Amino acid sequence: MCIRIFAGLFLLVQCTFAVAEVTKVTVVIDHAPPYSYTENVEQPSGLILDILQPITQELGVEIKTVSCPFSRCIHMLEQGEADVMGGLIRTPTREQQLTFLTPAYMALHSSFRFYSLRAAELTVRDYEDLYGKRIAVMRGAAHFSRFDKDAKLMKVPVTSEQVAVEMLLKHRVDLFIGVEDTADHAMSVLQQPTEQLAKQPYHFEDSIFGHIAFSDGFAKTELAKKITARYREMANEGELTELVAPYALPPVPTYSL
């Protein structure tokens, strides 16, 4: 009798936990038009949600979105306060704390370009010309190695490319750095006065990949493994390419081991 009562109680506890369990994925999103919108909107929107929502719906999982500046979003992900973030460049430093999904859903063969005010008559022909200039950089962003590691440059952290342009127009910085393809697209969407800006001759060409990243804790869960598997299926079946097309991004490559 005692054994049966104990077994019954054990099953009751199991059922209680099963009912109480709520599966949820916390996604951090920064305001980075046209790829994500968090300001002056009822709900955050953007490409990362376009990708994750059909996956989580299939798995019966709820998405919780948290809007935050770029640097705060990364901090939350690294500290395990959030589960997922999109659009991250993969670097050795970030790989120590985060897990990146492959293939990248943003694959650009573009340049890190420096922008200035056209009226400033400023010319940057080579890397050394950057010294002594106030350069707006998005806080927490990754660029090219030489630039990121150079402590002699005068870098002014900003929360978004939009803020960088505004500071440039107000003469609070001399330059700002951005990925040329995405910066040009963003400025056109935001209807910023690009006619007042000039692209500097010096630029750094690179293959730039934007990934979905998991916090290390979340990456170890069965749910993360299921999301990863479905994401790769979508890449191989062309679904991801269809999702990124409206954002003027190139086709997503297929996944292979």
Side-chain angles (χ1 to χ4, degrees):
M1 176 67 70
C2 291
I3 294 175
R4 290 180 180 177
I5 293 174
F6 178 78
L9 287 172
F10 179 73
L11 289 173
L12 178 61
V13 170
Q14 280 191 314
C15 291
T16 302
F17 276 115
V19 171
E21 183 181 354
V22 176
T23 307
K24 183 182 297 184
V25 178
T26 301
V27 182
V28 282
I29 307 176
D30 66 307
H31 186 65
Y35 306 105
S36 58
Y37 293 86
T38 64
E39 298 177 5
N40 303 316
V41 293
E42 291 185 6
Q43 294 291 334
S45 63
L47 180 52
I48 181 62
L49 294 179
D50 293 348
I51 292 171
L52 288 177
Q53 282 172 342
I55 299 175
T56 55
Q57 287 174 359
E58 287 182 22
L59 298 175
V61 176
E62 179 185 352
I63 290 180
K64 175 186 177 183
T65 58
V66 177
S67 304
C68 42
F70 183 82
S71 58
R72 175 61 182 162
C73 287
I74 288 186
H75 178 76
M76 291 180 67
L77 198 65
E78 291 175 342
Q79 296 302 310
E81 299 171 10
D83 303 316
V84 184
M85 184 174 176
L88 289 185
I89 295 175
R90 189 174 184 171
T91 68
T93 300
R94 287 177 177 170
E95 285 186 311
Q96 293 177 11
Q97 295 177 283
L98 305 174
T99 299
F100 290 81
L101 269 65
T102 53
Y105 68 93
M106 300 175 72
L108 301 173
H109 300 287
S110 187
S111 300
F112 288 104
R113 177 70 73 167
F114 293 87
Y115 296 79
S116 68
L117 280 180
R118 191 176 301 279
E121 298 182 355
L122 177 68
T123 303
V124 178
R125 297 193 182 280
D126 53 40
Y127 185 89
E128 284 67 27
D129 290 335
L130 296 173
Y131 291 112
K133 311 297 191 299
R134 298 166 299 170
I135 309 169
V137 297
M138 189 144 70
R139 191 188 304 273
H143 307 93
F144 56 99
S145 180
R146 182 181 181 184
F147 180 85
D148 289 341
K149 294 178 180 179
D150 196 337
K152 296 179 181 179
L153 293 173
M154 297 171 58
K155 302 173 188 175
V156 181
V158 297
T159 55
S160 68
E161 287 182 340
Q162 181 177 1
V163 172
V165 173
E166 291 170 357
M167 290 185 69
L168 195 62
L169 294 170
K170 294 176 182 177
H171 302 276
R172 293 180 181 174
V173 295
D174 304 303
L175 302 164
F176 85 85
I177 182 175
V179 177
E180 185 171 8
D181 286 356
T182 59
D184 287 354
H185 194 184
M187 285 189 285
S188 66
V189 170
L190 294 169
Q191 298 182 335
Q192 292 177 308
T194 53
E195 70 281 355
Q196 296 184 39
L197 305 182
K199 295 180 183 180
Q200 290 300 317
Y202 174 75
H203 59 282
F204 185 87
E205 293 186 4
D206 201 0
S207 294
I208 302 162
F209 300 98
H211 292 262
I212 291 176
F214 292 158
S215 68
D216 267 357
F218 180 70
K220 296 180 176 67
T221 66
E222 287 301 315
L223 176 56
K225 294 173 184 176
K226 291 178 181 178
I227 292 174
T228 299
R230 183 67 187 102
Y231 173 84
R232 289 170 175 169
E233 285 178 4
M234 292 171 69
N236 289 341
E237 294 169 4
E239 294 176 64
L240 289 185
T241 292
E242 292 179 6
L243 289 173
V244 306
Y247 294 85
L249 290 169
V252 178
T254 57
Y255 173 76
S256 59
L257 291 173

